[in-house]
Amino acid sequence: MRIVAPACTPDRDHVARGVEVLTSWGLQVEVGEHIFDQWGYMAGRDADRVGDINAALRDPGVRAVFAAMGGKGTYRIIADLDFEAARHDPKPVIGFSDITHLHLALWKQCRLAGLHGPYPNPSEEGAVWAEALRRALMTTEPIVLHQDTDEATAAVTVEGTATGTLIGGNLDAVRTEAGAGLPSLEGAILFLEHQKGTGLGEVDRALTQLARSGSLDGLHGVALGQFLGFEDIASDPTQGGWEITDVLRDHLTRLGVPVLGGLPIGHGRYPTMPLGTQATLDTAAGTLTVEPAVY
């Protein structure tokens, strides 16, 4: 396993704790050469960050590539990924948030499936998510996510079932790749999660851009994870009583496809889920079943 930093610079203790977890699973763990570099708000210069990723993709001894953290900057380097190496020796990339850019690029160029999941942590809370990561990485059983009615997005549901390749991740990253590197979503189930930035308008703009660009044409379904940071929006008189669920419902119900909200995955809860594999969405059962991404 190779740990890299495609985006921001991770804390050394954070990396060490993850190495502790991974080695406890019997894995041999290596750390990228430039993982602790810093250039502005990123983990070193673009050439060095992508160089660490490409070195991992080219190394036959590396069987998975872990992103130590997300943040900012992955979008700057995806055009320089060694896609030929990824095709020749497929191995999953694990990460989420800004790492969505890697997942999208590797799927579009190589049909390489990855894992939307956290960097492991041995803390008591982190151990739960680390075990979910271990199962997704080291077993061949499908991953089943169950709707949590306590999640805000659970209120955004359009009944039905759908099957297709699961593609997506962080909404801002998906929107950024529209017109630049977003793979075709025809026949896909689109997964989205988000962390509040500038408010409801940011989500509205992102979904509008995806729709106007034609990126949502041909979708089979939508799966919604956590949309965090919008809890007090309804009390803001400038929002006209709207909440995040109103914005999501206004856009997604127009698509005419099943929508399953309330999946407990995003920036606050960290189960691991494959991306780029076949998935089945069932709103009656409240489940998203995803085939494994194991090479």
Side-chain angles (χ1 to χ4, degrees):
M1 306 291 161
R2 184 79 53 83
I3 301 169
V4 298
C8 293
T9 307
D11 178 80
R12 289 180 181 272
D13 288 342
H14 168 79
V15 172
R17 290 193 295 270
V19 171
E20 175 187 337
V21 173
L22 295 172
T23 54
S24 74
W25 298 346
L27 303 176
Q28 294 183 351
V29 183
E30 303 169 347
V31 175
E33 179 181 357
H34 298 283
I35 190 171
F36 298 117
D37 289 1
Q38 187 157 5
W39 187 58
Y41 43 78
M42 292 169 286
R45 294 184 176 274
D46 294 351
D48 292 331
R49 298 197 321 281
V50 77
D52 277 359
I53 299 170
N54 286 339
L57 293 175
R58 295 165 184 158
D59 189 335
V62 174
R63 303 317 314 149
V65 184
F66 281 85
M69 64 178 297
K72 305 176 185 68
T74 307
Y75 43 83
R76 296 170 58 109
I77 63 175
I78 55 174
D80 295 318
L81 290 170
D82 189 341
F83 296 115
E84 183 57 37
R87 293 186 197 99
H88 177 72
D89 183 20
K91 61 196 72 173
V93 171
I94 301 98
F96 75 109
S97 192
D98 200 57
I99 310 307
T100 298
H101 294 280
L102 277 180
H103 291 311
L104 294 173
L106 290 167
W107 169 252
K108 180 177 182 179
Q109 299 295 335
C110 313
R111 291 299 186 260
L112 182 69
L115 293 173
H116 179 288
Y119 185 74
N121 189 309
S123 68
E124 183 175 351
E125 181 182 21
V128 175
W129 309 124
E131 176 57 23
L133 170 61
R134 189 195 67 78
R135 289 198 306 271
L137 183 66
M138 303 177 70
T139 68
T140 57
E141 295 297 317
I143 303 299
V144 182
L145 292 177
H146 296 267
Q147 183 184 59
D148 184 343
T149 56
D150 289 333
E151 291 290 347
T153 61
V156 187
T157 296
V158 177
E159 294 182 359
T161 61
T163 299
T165 304
L166 187 66
I167 300 174
N170 178 257
L171 173 60
D172 187 60
V174 173
R175 181 265 300 270
T176 299
E177 292 301 329
L182 186 65
S184 170
L185 299 177
E186 185 173 357
I189 294 175
L190 176 62
F191 165 67
L192 296 173
E193 60 86 23
H194 189 64
Q195 189 175 29
K196 180 185 175 184
T198 58
L200 296 183
E202 180 182 23
V203 175
D204 187 36
R205 284 192 293 271
L207 292 173
T208 298
Q209 180 180 348
L210 289 170
R212 290 185 62 195
S213 67
S215 299
L216 304 182
D217 295 350
L219 272 180
H220 279 190
V222 178
L224 295 174
Q226 293 183 299
F227 275 63
L228 298 179
F230 298 92
E231 292 79 10
D232 299 324
I233 288 288
S235 62
D236 183 345
T238 67
Q239 305 302 310
W242 269 30
E243 300 178 325
I244 185 60
T245 51
D246 296 295
V247 176
L248 292 170
R249 189 181 297 110
D250 182 56
H251 281 276
L252 299 179
T253 54
R254 305 179 195 182
L255 300 176
V257 300
V259 178
L260 176 65
L263 297 175
I265 183 169
H267 277 73
R269 300 172 74 175
Y270 309 108
T272 299
M273 179 179 71
L275 291 171
T277 65
Q278 283 292 106
T280 299
L281 175 159
D282 186 335
T283 62
T287 57
L288 179 67
T289 304
V290 192
E291 293 301 311
V294 177
Y295 296 95

